[in-house]
Amino acid sequence: MLALLQRVQQARVEVDGHTIGQIDAGLLVLICAERGDTEAIADKLLAKILKLRIFADNAIAGPPQDGITAPSGGSESHAVGSVGAHKSSGKMNRSVQDVGGGLLIVSQFTLAADTSGGNRPGFGNAAPLDEGRRLYDYFVAQARAVHPVVQTGQFAADMQVFLVNDGPVTIPMRMSTRSGSA
């Protein structure tokens, strides 16, 4: 399973001009299931994302913001102040859980692109549509069970993703039965 994490000050995803998911400070998680991925792999990836220390030592969670409603069954967004490492001694010792940041989880099968041959990427490593949807839905359900602020995109939709990358901090991750780690 592949993920691309972006630490954000804010992010939102739109479908047909309507915002369907948004967070304040936290992580935008672009995710892709590959052939052979399982729920156990999804669980390991989620655990790693939630514990990954990529927020500044002085990053603190703020109270829920007024006027923000959570679309499609998500939780309220929370503000996270001083999330950037540049605002402290440069150390990143806190996780998204530690700072109370949000997760915006967006499916993106193009993370599985194979660019080794020719100029057109191949996507044969991506899980088939039904399996990708099942694993994405599982990942989101597990995230909502253990993290208070989870918003999502819409699987297989044409989405527009807007973000303010904080840092920038962008982390590619791979969890698989082959590697056993991210």
Side-chain angles (χ1 to χ4, degrees):
M1 199 161 221
L2 302 168
L4 183 71
L5 309 181
Q6 294 183 300
R7 189 179 72 189
V8 298
Q9 291 179 2
Q10 60 184 331
R12 76 178 190 276
V13 60
E14 294 182 0
V15 174
D16 296 328
H18 301 287
T19 298
I20 63 167
Q22 71 181 40
I23 60 169
D24 289 317
L27 293 175
L28 170 62
V29 180
L30 303 173
I31 191 163
C32 173
E34 293 183 286
R35 290 183 183 278
D37 283 346
T38 64
E39 290 89 351
I41 291 171
D43 290 340
K44 287 180 185 178
L45 181 61
L46 178 60
K48 183 79 166 184
I49 290 169
L50 293 175
K51 301 262 186 239
L52 199 62
R53 298 184 313 173
I54 58 174
F55 289 86
D57 289 354
N58 64 344
I60 55 171
Q65 293 189 343
D66 294 332
I68 304 269
T69 57
S72 65
S75 302
E76 291 181 341
S77 295
H78 288 74
V80 178
S82 303
V83 295
H86 62 283
K87 296 175 185 164
S88 67
S89 64
K91 301 217 181 207
M92 297 188 295
N93 285 317
R94 301 190 73 201
S95 71
V96 69
Q97 287 185 316
D98 294 335
V99 301
L103 295 177
L104 177 57
I105 304 170
V106 177
S107 64
Q108 187 172 353
F109 82 95
T110 60
L111 289 176
D114 178 2
T115 59
S116 62
N119 293 322
R120 180 177 295 144
F123 300 102
N125 292 332
L129 183 65
D130 290 343
E131 186 66 5
R133 181 185 312 272
R134 184 184 72 75
L135 286 167
Y136 173 77
D137 290 345
Y138 176 84
F139 186 90
V140 168
Q142 295 305 108
R144 285 186 168 142
V146 297
H147 194 73
V149 183
V150 177
Q151 295 285 297
T152 66
Q154 181 180 330
F155 187 88
D158 181 18
M159 296 176 278
Q160 289 69 52
V161 179
F162 302 86
L163 69 138
V164 177
N165 197 318
D166 183 32
V169 174
T170 302
I171 310 283
M173 297 178 71
R174 168 175 259 142
M175 189 72 60
S176 70
T177 56
R178 295 176 298 279
S179 67
S181 63

